[in-house]
Each structure stands twice: as structure tokens, then as C-alpha cells.
Amino acid sequence: MSNPWIQFKNMSFTYEGAGRRALKNINLTFYRGEKVLIIGANASGKSTLVRALRGKLATDEFQGTIEGEIINYDLEMETVDATAMADAVDHHLEETLEENGKRKRSSDYIPNFSEELKHRILEHPIEANTSLERLSEGQRDIQNFVNNVNYEQSVFIFDEPLANLAPRAGQIFIDLVDDIHHNTDATIVMVDYRIEEVLYRPVDRVIVLSEGRIIFDGDSEKLLKRNILNSLGVGEPAYVSAIRYTGYPLDKVRNISNVNYLHGPDLKRTIESWLMTVPNFVQKRSDQPILTLDNVSYTYPWRDQPTLCNISTQVFKGDMIAIVGKNGSGKSTLGQMMDGNIRPDSGTMTWLGEEVTEDNLCQMKQETVYIQQNIDQSILDFTVKDYLNGIAANCNYSAEEAEEVIRDSLKRTGLIYAAELQIGQLSFGQQKRIMLSSALINQPSLLIIEEPSEGQDYHHYNEFMQYLYQINQEQEIAIIINTHNTDLVLEFTRHAWVLSEGELIADTQPIRIATDYRLIQRAFLRESNLYIFARQIGLIDPYNFIKKFMDYHREVNR
């Protein structure tokens, strides 16, 4: 065991003015050179623990009272907020799209950014320093960062670094962090909800927090076999849930934290037997088109290259569609076009059988609701009821009708109890559900949602998606979800649009985005761990396994 750099002994912390402690009786020791993952649900104490590591508690920035002891064994150890490295990786990948003013395809990307960075910056720093022009701006940002850090005296802290990264970019980032750790013996602390994605590369310890207390502190193998994550609102890897559903003893599984090397005696036979007991869920697609896009393109005034290029597709009544692709592929622009906020430069849009023109654009916008990724800060001081009353007033409801439709919308999203609360008092997940309630008041035909899982732990994300799924099933509202979350796409949607460099490269079944290697490479996605798991244990039909598991998993969690 290496030397400790900080220790907490029976440490608790209460923010000034708070009625309860944010951290409770914490006993933890962090060691030099280790790589630690901290996980927990919303309000579990993760952010407060990170602030404690940075020495920011009980300061002007975060006022409050510390009980117990915080022992700094080495006062020269410096914590470094390294989350910006994730943005630098994404910046580099975006830059590789441009060469001599021309757009490049994903197939032209550097195959492994982490390997190139390791060679140029970590293993040959002198060479990198003398050839800066060969590096992208994103690489230079990272080089300047890693070359100006004293690794022996620094702790890299990554706070939810995967939140805004496309799946493949997330893998590249995790590779980069792993390379830095192995090449420099740096001390690394990562905080994230996405345990399955972070464990793509090994960590030394996992610390699980719940309601300010340490629930678990140990290696990932033991954690995944204990069956506690779902109950804590974190969410275990999907392949672990699959094993658990079959009744197979998790203590018999070897390498459970690394799906590429996982195995267990008779595991394949057990999975196959279970699959025979799971019914097929069949959902027929409607033949009533709501929106048709025919060869539409769009270029922002400040750009030379089109953001959307010759997109042709349809949305049918009751559809549940995912839009996926790397950052900058055109997903948000397509969403804004379908909401009527952006008009195509060329091509046609048809709404309910009529071509969209200036004369009927207003009708399309009235029947389409776009829930953006971030909550409008100007509404936070309104009570939920007052805010929804304002929405209802714009829809020309009578007072009696408004009261009824508001009550119904809150009931459908499980927020009747919050009617008199200020929106700013609610959690991010609850605020997202208020936006969904406001959408239901409009009685839309089409609902477009940006990143519904961002900023939410597993419990709240699943709860929100279950509300969406129920609304889609009961009211046949077509729902389009812009997301990086592959598991969300597999579990809840029935169709997927894949964008790459502004082109619609696939209009397909969701399972393809997790299993089709060529499509995954072009759109900067990643293979689903469920698909890797199915191959690893030798299942003959991995597609049937994934579909049946996801349908079963969704119904179990309703």
C-alpha cells in the first residue's frame, strides 16, 4: 500500500442553514497513486466529498460546520480540477472533422486518439514540445495540462466527465485517463453515475455514497456481486442485471467487472433457458405519418459547410425515436427544425399531409413541443401551479378546463404534491418532469426531448423515461429523444436515426446502433456491453437476447 495523502476520521459536514448533515461519520483514507471511482445517487454527498478533498468546506465558498477530523498527510499535495480534459478530447475529435476547410468523415478519424497522445505527449514529451503544429488545439490543451502538472504532488479530480461526451468519445477519454495513470502514477479520483462506462478500464477502488454515508468501499468485483446498486439509485451494468434475472449466482461469475473476460460455469445454458421463458414484445408501427422530411438541408449563416445535408425520413403517430451521433453531428439542429424554429434552406417538410409554409407553420409549432437540455432559469421563482397556469392560459382553456388539465398533467408525471412549490426548490429531475407536464398541457402530436438522462441518477432517469413511455403508449404522442445514452435507446425507443456529419446514415432498428460495427464507427457510438457479454459467453443469437432483455428490464422497472 502506498502512502496516504488525506484521511477522514468520523468526519461530518453541515452546510450553513441546512437542516441536516450532507456528510455523516465519514471514515476514509485516500492513497497516493491510486485510481478511485466515487458513485452515488443525486444528493448522496458526492459533490460535498469532492469539496472536502479540495479543502473547500467551511470556507467562504462553502460555509458550514465540520465535525470530526480531516488529516492532510502531505500539505503539498494539490487537487486539480481535470474535468476540462474531457472537453479537450471532444474538441480534438471535432477538429479532426476539418482539413483544409473540408469536412472529413468519421472513417478518417485518427483510430485511437489516446494512443497518439500517449506517444506524443506522455512517452515523448520533448518531441511533442518541438512539434506543436502537428497537434490539434484539443491535443495542445491536454499537453499543456499534463506537462505542467507535478504528478507526484497532484490529485486529478474528474467530476462527471462523461456527461456531455458521445459514447465513443467517452471510451477515448477513459483510455486517456488510464494512460495518464499508468504512465505517471498519478492519483486520480473520478465521480460519475455511469459505472459501466467508467469500468471500461479498471479502477483500484469504488466508493459508494448514500444519504451522506459510505455504503461501500472496496473493489468493483465485490461491489457488482452485492446487488446493492439499483436499490441506491445508481444502476448496475445491464449485463449484471441480465445474469441476476436468470437466478444465476453472481458469486460464481469470474471477472464480473470486465465484460470482455467474464465467464461462469453453465452461464450460457442458464441464460438460454431463461430466454425461452421471456415472451416477445411486439409493437406495430402506425401507418399515419405526422411529419415528413424530404431532402432537407440547413447551413448556419456563419458556417461554410451544411449542418444538415439532404435528410429524408418520416415520423409516424405514436413513434418513439432516438436521434444519436457524436457532438456536432446535427442532432440538435434537426430537433429545432422539426419544432419549426429553423426552416430548411432546401427540401420540403410535410405536417399532417400538408407542406409546411409560412401560412401553416404556426399550426405545426402549436402541436410540437421541444423540451431543451437545460432548464430556463427565468422560471425558477414561479410555483409549479402558477407556471402551468401560464402555459394553460396560452392554450385558451377555460378556468375549469385549465384546472383539470393541470391536475391531469401533474398526476401523469407524479408531481401532484409539488403544485405549490417553487420550481427552483425542486431537483433537476423533478424540473425535467415539470417541463414534461407543461408539454402535456399543450396536448402535442410530437414531443422532442434533449438528453433526458443527463444530470439524473439511475432511479430518477428510469422514472422519467417510464413516464415518457407510458404517455407514448396511452396517448400515442410521437416522441423523439436526442441522446448519447445507448441503453436508453435500446430499452425505450423503437426506431433510431443515426447522424454523422449532418447526414442521416441510418434510419433503423435501435439494436443496430449497439451491434453494427461499421455504423458504430461512423457515428462514434460504442458496442453495447450486452452485445459483448452475449458474444463472450457464446450465445448463438445475441440480437434476440438484447431485445428480450431490454423489454423485460423495462417492464420489471415500471
Side-chain angles (χ1 to χ4, degrees):
M1 181 68 70
S2 58
N3 295 326
W5 65 275
I6 194 170
Q7 184 177 27
F8 300 88
K9 288 188 176 181
N10 294 319
M11 180 268 189
S12 299
F13 181 76
T14 306
Y15 287 102
E16 185 173 307
R20 61 188 182 90
R21 292 182 292 178
L23 293 176
K24 305 170 185 175
N25 302 317
I26 302 297
N27 288 285
L28 274 177
T29 303
F30 289 84
Y31 297 89
R32 286 174 171 271
E34 69 176 349
K35 183 180 176 187
V36 181
L37 169 62
I38 300 174
I39 60 174
N42 291 347
S44 62
K46 301 187 304 297
S47 296
T48 305
L49 181 57
V50 167
R51 290 165 188 161
L53 292 174
R54 291 174 174 164
K56 292 184 176 293
L57 295 184
T59 65
D60 289 342
E61 188 174 0
F62 298 103
Q63 297 179 11
T65 303
I66 296 175
E67 303 169 64
E69 291 184 86
I70 302 177
I71 304 172
N72 288 289
Y73 288 98
D74 190 339
L75 295 176
E76 294 184 3
M77 285 291 281
E78 179 183 2
T79 57
V80 180
D81 184 358
T83 307
M85 286 178 59
D87 297 330
V89 169
D90 203 43
H91 189 184
H92 165 78
L93 296 173
E94 177 63 23
E95 287 178 290
T96 61
L97 291 172
E98 304 275 351
E99 187 175 78
N100 298 325
K102 297 181 179 180
R103 301 285 285 181
K104 295 175 66 181
R105 295 186 176 274
S106 298
S107 56
D108 297 322
Y109 287 161
I110 296 168
N112 192 325
F113 170 51
S114 186
E115 282 300 310
E116 183 194 1
L117 184 81
K118 184 169 67 172
H119 172 76
R120 289 187 175 183
I121 298 174
L122 300 176
E123 295 177 354
H124 301 280
I126 296 177
E127 176 187 333
N129 285 333
T130 57
S131 56
L132 287 175
E133 71 281 355
R134 295 174 56 199
L135 302 180
S136 72
E137 185 177 345
Q139 284 177 304
R140 289 197 297 270
D141 288 344
I142 297 174
Q143 177 185 332
N144 290 333
F145 184 92
V146 298
N147 282 358
N148 289 288
V149 169
N150 182 340
Y151 293 101
E152 291 186 0
Q153 298 297 134
S154 297
V155 180
F156 290 82
I157 296 181
F158 299 92
D159 196 353
E160 295 187 33
L162 302 179
N164 296 311
L165 294 182
R168 179 65 186 130
Q171 283 188 328
I172 288 173
F173 172 75
I174 294 297
D175 275 336
L176 170 60
V177 173
D178 199 52
D179 286 340
I180 290 175
H181 182 237
H182 284 293
N183 282 270
T184 66
D185 291 324
T187 305
I188 291 174
V189 177
M190 300 188 72
V191 183
D192 215 292
Y193 297 113
R194 308 181 186 193
I195 184 171
E196 187 166 357
E197 295 179 38
V198 175
L199 291 182
Y200 166 66
R201 290 289 179 256
V203 298
D204 298 315
R205 293 162 64 196
V206 182
I207 296 169
V208 184
L209 285 165
S210 178
E211 298 182 347
R213 299 183 185 276
I214 301 296
I215 301 300
F216 179 87
D217 179 9
D219 68 61
S220 55
E221 287 284 310
K222 292 179 181 178
L223 174 63
L224 295 182
K225 292 179 179 182
R226 284 187 59 175
N227 191 23
I228 63 171
L229 291 178
N230 287 345
S231 64
L232 297 175
V234 177
E236 66 191 3
Y239 65 88
V240 176
S241 295
I243 298 171
R244 188 163 46 79
Y245 289 152
T246 70
Y248 188 91
L250 292 178
D251 58 4
K252 288 187 177 181
V253 181
R254 299 290 184 88
N255 302 320
I256 194 169
S257 63
N258 190 329
V259 68
N260 292 286
Y261 299 99
L262 178 152
H263 64 94
D266 291 326
L267 179 56
K268 174 187 174 184
R269 183 176 59 80
T270 303
I271 294 285
E272 289 175 336
S273 297
W274 175 75
L275 286 173
M276 294 180 66
T277 70
V278 179
N280 288 306
F281 291 77
V282 179
Q283 294 176 314
K284 187 177 179 181
R285 196 176 194 186
S286 169
D287 59 359
Q288 301 178 47
I290 296 174
L291 177 65
T292 300
L293 306 180
D294 185 10
N295 234 26
V296 297
S297 298
Y298 181 77
T299 303
Y300 285 101
W302 58 86
R303 298 191 63 173
D304 296 329
Q305 300 295 323
T307 299
L308 296 176
C309 187
N310 301 323
I311 303 287
S312 294
T313 189
Q314 284 186 302
V315 181
F316 291 88
K317 182 178 181 179
D319 266 352
M320 194 90 163
I321 300 172
I323 309 178
V324 298
K326 76 176 295 291
N327 292 342
S329 61
K331 302 188 300 298
S332 295
T333 303
L334 181 58
Q336 293 180 62
M337 181 179 288
M338 292 186 292
D339 186 41
N341 288 327
I342 289 176
R343 298 295 308 279
D345 296 328
S346 60
T348 59
M349 295 174 61
T350 304
W351 177 260
L352 298 177
E354 295 185 7
E355 182 177 342
V356 177
T357 64
E358 291 294 338
D359 295 332
N360 62 2
L361 176 63
C362 185
Q363 179 192 351
M364 184 184 91
K365 295 185 74 168
Q366 286 177 345
E367 296 187 48
T368 304
V369 174
Y370 192 176
I371 299 179
Q372 297 187 6
Q373 189 169 346
N374 298 314
I375 304 298
D376 183 356
Q377 298 297 300
S378 67
I379 71 171
L380 297 183
D381 290 335
F382 287 92
T383 67
V384 170
K385 187 175 181 179
D386 287 345
Y387 172 68
L388 296 182
N389 270 326
I391 300 293
N394 292 331
C395 296
N396 298 317
Y397 290 112
S398 68
E400 294 77 13
E401 289 172 335
E403 185 176 350
E404 182 179 351
V405 76
I406 289 171
R407 186 188 309 111
D408 183 63
S409 71
L410 289 174
K411 183 178 179 181
R412 288 182 179 277
T413 55
L415 287 170
I416 287 286
Y417 66 89
E420 302 299 332
L421 297 177
Q422 286 187 332
I423 294 174
Q425 293 176 301
L426 303 177
S427 70
F428 183 76
Q430 290 170 322
Q431 291 175 2
K432 281 270 194 179
R433 283 153 55 192
I434 292 298
M435 296 302 100
L436 181 56
S437 294
S438 70
L440 296 179
I441 290 172
N442 284 281
Q443 298 183 334
S445 299
L446 175 61
L447 180 60
I448 305 165
I449 302 180
E450 291 265 357
E451 287 294 355
S453 63
E454 184 183 352
Q456 301 201 63
D457 58 38
Y458 174 76
H459 170 74
H460 292 99
Y461 139 70
N462 179 71
E463 187 177 57
F464 183 80
M465 288 307 304
Q466 293 287 358
Y467 285 127
L468 274 185
Y469 189 79
Q470 182 177 348
I471 290 163
N472 170 259
Q473 296 288 292
E474 293 178 354
Q475 300 186 33
E476 294 189 290
I477 297 173
I479 298 176
I480 297 177
I481 300 170
N482 178 344
T483 184
H484 287 316
N485 190 325
T486 304
D487 286 341
L488 179 157
V489 177
L490 292 173
E491 186 173 353
F492 291 102
T493 69
R494 297 184 292 279
H495 221 72
W497 297 343
V498 185
L499 293 182
S500 178
E501 286 83 72
E503 297 179 6
L504 181 64
I505 62 172
D507 185 346
T508 185
Q509 297 298 309
I511 197 166
R512 277 194 65 205
I513 73 164
T515 59
D516 185 323
Y517 179 77
R518 294 182 64 185
L519 186 61
I520 287 169
Q521 291 298 108
R522 285 197 65 188
F524 235 59
L525 304 170
R526 67 175 178 85
E527 276 189 321
S528 166
N529 277 350
L530 282 172
Y531 186 51
I532 297 171
F533 168 75
R535 287 202 318 252
Q536 173 64 18
I537 66 173
L539 292 182
I540 296 174
D541 189 353
Y543 307 98
N544 182 55
F545 161 69
I546 294 174
K547 185 178 185 308
K548 280 196 168 186
F549 165 77
M550 280 301 185
D551 286 336
Y552 183 86
H553 188 60
R554 182 186 62 247
E555 297 304 311
V556 164
N557 287 294
R558 291 189 71 168

